[in-house]
Amino acid sequence: MSLCQHADEQGKKVFWGLEGLYVNETEICYIDNDSGKIYYRGYDLEELVKYASFEEVAYLLLYGKLPNARELEEFSRQLRARRFIDSSVIDLLKMLPADAYPIDVLRLSIDYYCTRKKFINTGSLKDNYELAIDLISKLPVVLAYFYRISKGLDVVLPREEFDHPANFYYMMMGREPDPVEYEAVKTIFIIYADHSLANSTFTAITVASTLSDLGSAIIAALSSLKGPLHGGANREVVNMILEIGDEENVEKFVKEKIERKERIMGFGHRVYKSSSRGDPRVPILKEVARKLAEKKGGKYLKVFKIAERLENEVTSRLGSKGVRPNVDLYAGVLLYLLDIPPDYNPAIFAISRIVGWVAHVLEYWKHNRLIRPLERYVGPIGLKYVPLSERE
Ligand code: CMC
């Protein structure tokens, strides 16, 4: 036996996890670690959270510019008009186990929708925007319906006068959000809408680069997002905080996690580990969470305080390694404060990030190149085939 010695495989560096590699050019999202800012199409995310509606941000990401009043009205009208889902989807939701993972329910619904429509990539931008707006509008409805069906509650019909975040909350919870709750849902929707080349976005463009269709790219992206190192972290964060149970237990919990060399959910990030400023989304979400936690008090304030103590404890022990809170710490807390069951958290990430996935896929197709990297072979070559009867 000899080890592979091909000349073209000698001395080639392997970029594990593609860390630090540029594989694309984009005009969608820029993370500026020097200033600690994130920009969507050149606009400071913090300002967008403060001043813009979700619809404006979605339009900005999808079409590359802020909409004027007429464009915004038309886009919002389209989103509202597509909120109704086929009764066969409702029948499908009724057939699923009540404890199915909501992100799987979303994936199944998109698959069902695209299979029925026989959606393929015609290369038509119009068809792709049609599908995108339809899915952006319908996924929150599917999620809210599944929540209510799985709990044996009556489904709540969409309301024309509500915008995208308010309508989702209303259909899921059966009541209109108050202003602080509305701010929380809108902030989560805007903050989760894009984050450059996250694993799910890269997955989406990888699939799209074969000229497969937009629906398939989104289904693949959802599968990536589900993982606890990515979008599944906001679910784990809440379960971890509930397991900790009390601020007093935080120090021991963190110490033991570090001793066992286990990951602490809601901390660490590939893009921010060498930045002293950390994830710019954290302070934005934290302030909204603080406001809602103080308003609601009781178990809600307790969860917020455990998260804050965790932030301090982990940062003081691991901050020197670049391990600081990431978006999912306070997004998870906020979703808990909104009474969303933790299993729904990754799905809520998805109904927002779909905007970014679509924007990136459509942008990538403008200069499509098949994504097909290399792997360096390190196994043996030239082994002699041994008949089955002679093998040990
Ligand atoms: N808890 C404890 N230690 C950590 C953590 C963590 N959450 N994250 C990184 N480290 C340590 C890691 O063990 C390593 O230590 P050492 O150098 O001693 O081996 C060091 O920090 C550098 O870590 P890394 O493995 O180079 O980090 P990475 O860039 O590969 O990982 C990550 C990024 C997000 C996978 C990781 O930080 C992690 O597992 N975090 C927990 C899961 C999580 O919160 N994910 C959500 C990410 S943000 C939302 C999103 O984009 O989806």
Side-chain angles (χ1 to χ4, degrees):
M1 170 185 116
S2 66
L3 282 178
C4 184
Q5 293 294 325
H6 298 306
D8 65 346
E9 286 174 342
Q10 292 297 309
K12 293 260 165 90
K13 181 166 183 227
V14 175
F15 293 87
W16 293 103
L18 301 182
E19 185 161 359
L21 272 185
Y22 287 95
V23 296
N24 190 20
E25 285 183 353
T26 185
E27 295 179 4
I28 299 170
C29 180
Y30 175 53
I31 297 165
D32 182 357
N33 269 332
D34 293 335
S35 63
K37 289 208 172 286
I38 296 173
Y39 296 92
Y40 287 175
R41 302 268 189 197
Y43 294 92
D44 184 345
L45 176 60
E46 208 175 335
E47 273 191 36
L48 292 172
V49 166
K50 223 185 263 172
Y51 303 119
S53 64
F54 171 77
E55 284 81 350
E56 276 177 279
V57 173
Y59 187 99
L60 172 70
L61 289 168
L62 291 171
Y63 296 100
K65 71 183 243 329
L66 279 173
N68 61 30
R70 188 185 44 76
E71 288 161 340
L72 180 60
E73 175 46 36
E74 174 54 20
F75 182 64
S76 308
R77 189 196 63 71
Q78 284 192 41
L79 281 177
R80 282 196 305 271
R82 290 157 189 258
R83 282 176 187 160
F84 292 90
I85 57 173
D86 195 282
S87 64
S88 68
V89 177
I90 300 178
D91 292 341
L92 184 70
L93 298 180
K94 285 182 179 160
M95 280 166 22
L96 299 174
D99 62 351
Y101 286 118
I103 194 159
D104 291 341
V105 175
L106 291 183
R107 194 174 49 196
L108 178 71
S109 313
I110 302 175
D111 220 340
Y112 176 74
Y113 175 100
C114 291
T115 304
R116 278 185 67 205
K117 290 216 162 195
K118 293 185 73 182
F119 199 83
I120 51 153
N121 184 9
T122 58
S124 150
L125 206 53
K126 185 172 163 289
D127 287 355
N128 285 324
Y129 275 124
E130 279 275 311
L131 175 72
I133 295 171
D134 222 16
L135 291 180
I136 292 166
S137 171
K138 285 180 170 45
L139 289 188
V141 176
V142 168
L143 202 55
Y145 273 20
F146 178 68
Y147 173 76
R148 297 194 69 87
I149 290 167
S150 66
K151 288 205 152 343
L153 300 167
D154 288 338
V155 297
V156 174
L157 293 177
R159 285 251 298 264
E160 182 78 9
E161 70 272 30
F162 289 156
D163 73 0
H164 193 73
N167 186 65
F168 166 64
Y169 186 88
Y170 168 72
M171 289 187 69
M172 185 155 171
M173 295 303 171
R175 68 172 178 83
E176 199 176 335
D178 69 25
V180 187
E181 288 164 338
Y182 173 76
E183 186 191 6
V185 184
K186 190 196 88 158
T187 303
I188 288 179
F189 272 44
I190 292 179
I191 281 204
Y192 270 151
D194 198 51
H195 194 238
S196 72
L197 208 50
N199 187 291
S200 55
T201 308
F202 181 62
T203 302
I205 67 167
T206 301
V207 171
S209 80
T210 69
L211 299 185
S212 184
D213 63 282
L214 184 60
S216 301
I218 292 170
I219 290 164
L222 268 165
S223 305
S224 149
L225 190 77
K226 185 180 175 188
L229 298 187
H230 188 9
N234 58 9
R235 168 179 179 265
E236 306 300 321
V237 159
V238 178
N239 290 334
M240 171 183 74
I241 291 177
L242 296 176
E243 183 197 324
I244 293 172
D246 198 283
E247 263 188 271
E248 282 179 6
N249 304 332
V250 168
E251 190 182 343
K252 182 168 172 283
F253 176 86
V254 171
K255 216 166 142 259
E256 287 176 1
K257 277 284 211 194
I258 294 172
E259 275 164 15
R260 292 199 299 268
K261 295 193 183 310
E262 287 173 5
R263 301 269 160 144
I264 303 165
M265 292 293 139
F267 289 87
H269 200 289
R270 178 66 61 80
V271 172
Y272 301 112
K273 66 183 169 192
S274 44
S275 149
S276 58
R277 292 179 177 269
D279 185 336
R281 301 168 293 180
V282 171
I284 304 174
L285 287 165
K286 184 176 178 181
E287 277 328 294
V288 183
R290 184 195 303 284
K291 218 198 273 181
L292 189 53
E294 284 173 355
K295 177 174 167 285
K296 293 185 91 164
K299 66 173 189 176
Y300 301 101
L301 189 55
K302 191 171 182 180
V303 161
F304 176 81
K305 290 198 160 162
I306 295 174
E308 201 172 32
R309 181 75 80 90
L310 260 174
E311 177 184 353
N312 295 336
E313 197 61 38
V314 175
T315 309
S316 75
R317 288 174 187 268
L318 298 177
S320 57
K321 268 195 204 180
V323 182
R324 299 184 196 82
N326 63 46
V327 66
D328 286 322
L329 180 66
Y330 288 106
V333 169
L334 255 187
L335 291 168
Y336 177 83
L337 302 180
L338 288 164
D339 289 315
I340 308 279
D343 278 355
Y344 280 75
N345 294 358
I348 290 172
F349 193 153
I351 62 178
S352 164
R353 181 58 59 87
I354 184 175
V355 175
W357 293 332
V358 171
H360 280 271
V361 167
L362 296 184
E363 181 186 65
Y364 193 79
W365 272 337
K366 286 187 194 159
H367 50 80
N368 191 65
R369 185 153 176 83
L370 178 75
I371 293 177
R372 204 303 184 190
L374 297 171
E375 55 183 355
R376 192 153 68 87
Y377 181 71
V378 294
I381 53 169
L383 299 182
K384 189 172 163 6
Y385 180 80
V386 181
L388 186 57
S389 57
E390 292 173 25
R391 281 179 233 158
E392 286 182 10

